[in-house]
Structures are given as structure tokens and as C-alpha cells.
Amino acid sequence: MAVFTEVGFDEADALVQRLGLGPLSALRGIEGGIENTNYFASTASGEFVLTLFERLGPQQLPYYLCLMKHLASRGIPVPEPVADPAIEPPGGHALSIPANAPCEFLHQVAGKPAALVQRLAGKSELAPTAAHCAELGRLLARMHQAASDFPRIQPNLRGLAWWNDTAPVVLPYLEAPQATLLKRELAYQNHTAESSTYAALPRGPVHADLFRDNAMFATEGDSPHLTGVFDFYFAGTDTWLFDLAVCLNDWAIDLPTGRHDPVRADALLAAYATVRPLTGAERALLPAMLRAAALRFWISRLWDFHLPREASMLKAHDPTHFERVLRERSRAPADLFSSCTALGEPQAA
């Protein structure tokens, strides 16, 4: 959500006018994040977020935008993308749509592929309580169920293959103990991915980046209410357990130390399980996937930190945070969640 590409007011106004939402009354760059250019856009029709994609191309983007539309149509509170009325949606089954077929949700601004989505109400809770975690757990499970029949398939582009490709690039920047940790954990994750237990994990579209700053809350009485989740541009087809582990590694840890917070973790897991109980394979591999999720973000933050791109308002995340999380997850007992009643009864695979 840094600003890599400057967008002129007139060009943004032309887009919202073409989409039948204009005129544009305000345009403001959004600070934070490191992947795409984002602006808040105020129009006569409401509040929107304009995103210019700096790394992703037209072949990958329809997956994310159509997934958001699919989830919104199933009642999941996500930013609904705005379609260009001049583009006719492709007919037929989504799996048969050619990769180069026009996407009605994909636009072009300042020479970059772009999307305009509805802006969610509420605000992010950066110090979540158990109640916030329970809200997140329920919605995550609902999202997995709602996406289970989404017909498009696209691999998680920041999955194991990307870790294997990127690790050699960041290794020269590490001290010896860090390099040893990274190589040892990568070998462990490759071994885990070859197991029959891993093959049995349920899978489908996942958000893969659902940190606390990618969710919005409002307060109803004394209770928080999750008003929506956003930033689906790391989504892909992967195991639902990996998605859950990403959330636990952010929502249910102590940020300064990276240590497991059992109260918040239990709240998130218990709420998730009320909608979709974990299978036996998922219970068995939860500790391994917590390590996998920590490794993924340690590698990506090392990459962004040591090989940055130029951008206005760019703030790279500290990679040592997920190094701490990975060390904590690696040294934690293997049965960290094995006796956790929050998991509920196992679900048949």
C-alpha cells in the first residue's frame, strides 16, 4: 500500500466516471504496505480504494478479483470490485476461460493494471483481544467454506516453490546462525510437503495474508464486530491450515517476543471450529504449518528489506520479527495444540 506510481486526479476521475461512479471529489495516497500502489478515492457514489498492481500482471489478477466478487456474492464482507460496464463477462465455466480473456474488474491507470473496490467501514484493531480473535476465526472458516466451490485455480505464488527460489537470494545477507535456521527450516518444510499427511489436508482458495491490519472492526455495545477483511492480492490455492496458521502467527502472538498467546489462540481456534472443525491431518500438522507460515513471512520480509524497490511512503517491515516467531514456533513442544479443547472434535477428511 505504498505509492510506487503517482496517479493524477484527472486520470482517476476519468476512471470513476467511466465506471458510472463519478465525479471524483478526493484522491489520497495510502501509506503502509510494500506491494501495490493504493489510493482512497471519494466519489459521488461513495468511498472506494484504487489499487495499481506493481508486480502482478493481467494473467494472475482475474483470480484475485473474481475471488473477491465470489465471496461478496456469498455474503462474506470483503471489498467488492467494480466492473467496467463496457466489458462483457466471459461466458462458460470459469475453468474454461482463456487466461487472456478480458476481465471486467481489471482496469488500467497510469499504464498499470488496476482495480477499484468498495472501501470497508470500521478500523483495524492492532491490539486484538480474545473477542477480536474469535470474530476473525469465525469469519475465516466461513470464508473457506464460501470459497470451496470457487472454480478458478491459481497456486499460492508465495508458497513453497517461491521459498525455495528466494532463499538463495537472501542467504548472503544473513549471519551464520540465521542462515543455518533458514536452511534447516526450509529442508523441514520440503520434507513435510512430501508426506501423506500433508497430502490429506483440505485445500482451496486462501487469503494467505490475513494480518490484523487487513481486517476492519466496529464496536457494537461492548463487543467488537468484524466488518470486513481485505487485501486479497496474495491469495491462492493452498491448504486451509496454512491460512489458519498465518492468522495465528499474527493475531495470537506477543509481538515484542513472538511468543504464543494461548488465550487468543484458543479463542480463534474455538470460533473457527464452530464453523469448520479441523480434520485429523490438520490437527497433526498444525505445529508444522505454524512454522511454515513464519518461514514464509521471514523470507519475504528479508527479500523486501534487503532488495527494496523505490516508492513514495515505502516502509519495509522488520524481517527479524518473523525470525523470532519462527524460533519460538520451532522450539515449542510438538503437542502445542494437541490437548487444546478449542479444536473441537476432529472432522472426517
Side-chain angles (χ1 to χ4, degrees), residues 119-205:
R119 184 176 175 181
L120 297 172
K123 63 179 183 178
S124 295
E125 178 51 68
L126 301 184
T129 65
H132 293 97
C133 291
E135 283 280 295
L136 188 279
R138 277 188 291 272
L139 183 62
L140 183 66
R142 286 179 54 212
M143 201 159 64
H144 289 163
Q145 289 186 331
S148 62
D149 62 345
F150 181 61
R152 290 179 182 259
I153 297 175
Q154 180 168 286
N156 177 359
L157 300 181
R158 291 289 179 94
L160 182 60
W162 186 84
W163 311 345
N164 283 315
D165 289 342
T166 308
V169 178
V170 300
L171 275 171
Y173 298 97
L174 303 184
E175 300 293 334
Q178 295 173 308
T180 298
L181 173 64
L182 192 154
K183 288 187 285 189
R184 183 177 66 231
E185 187 61 34
L186 190 58
Y188 172 75
Q189 293 301 333
N190 277 290
H191 176 74
T192 299
E194 294 172 355
S195 68
S196 58
T197 306
Y198 182 84
L201 294 177
R203 62 195 67 218

Side-chain angles (χ1 to χ4, degrees), residues 49 126 208 234 244 265 267 278 340:
V49 175
L126 301 184
F234 283 115
L244 181 58
L278 300 189
C340 179

